[in-house]
């Protein structure tokens, strides 16, 4: 069963990391397409043939996730709110 979610991609409102292997069975252009249609997304192409991230060089996927999100924080949580004991946390 195929599901077309193209019309929903622009409504994704969270930071998104799209990781795709160079020689995946799904063409790498599909991953690029996803990333180009999701606001605030990042595309990372990794060497390899494995579609599932836990198969093969899974450490490369883990490294990319850590590298991409290590400095990320929710937009509503500013550094100054961390110092304010009365700040509202959502």
């Amino acid at each position: 069963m195929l599901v077309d979610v193209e019309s929903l991609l622009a409504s994704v409102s969270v930071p998104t990391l799209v990781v795709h292997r160079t020689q995946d069975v799904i063409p790498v252009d599909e991953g690029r397409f996803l990333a180009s249609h999701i606001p605030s997304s990042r595309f990372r192409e990794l060497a390899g043939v494995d579609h599932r991230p836990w198969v093969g060089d899974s450490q490369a996927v883990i490294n990319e996730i850590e590298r991409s999100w290590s400095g990320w924080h929710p937009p509503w949580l500013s550094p100054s709110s961390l110092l304010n004991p009365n700040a509202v946390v959502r």
Side-chain angles (χ1 to χ4, degrees):
M1 179 167 120
L2 297 176
V3 178
D4 184 0
V5 297
E6 182 177 347
S7 64
L8 303 174
L9 297 178
S11 65
V12 175
S13 60
V14 295
T16 304
L17 174 63
V18 178
V19 178
H20 204 104
R21 300 271 187 194
T22 303
Q23 297 173 325
D24 193 329
V25 295
I26 307 294
V28 74
D29 286 340
E30 297 291 331
R32 287 190 189 107
F33 177 86
L34 281 176
S36 70
H37 287 80
I38 298 174
S40 300
S41 69
R42 298 174 185 176
F43 177 78
R44 298 294 182 260
E45 183 175 340
L46 302 177
V49 298
D50 302 304
H51 180 73
R52 294 167 291 179
W54 59 89
V55 176
D57 186 10
S58 58
Q59 189 61 50
V61 177
I62 293 167
N63 292 345
E64 199 57 53
I65 292 168
E66 288 176 345
R67 184 175 16 268
S68 294
W69 302 116
S70 62
W72 184 83
H73 64 274
W76 47 264
L77 183 61
S78 67
S80 62
S81 69
L82 296 174
L83 302 175
N84 180 355
N86 299 316
V88 177
V89 178
R90 297 179 193 177

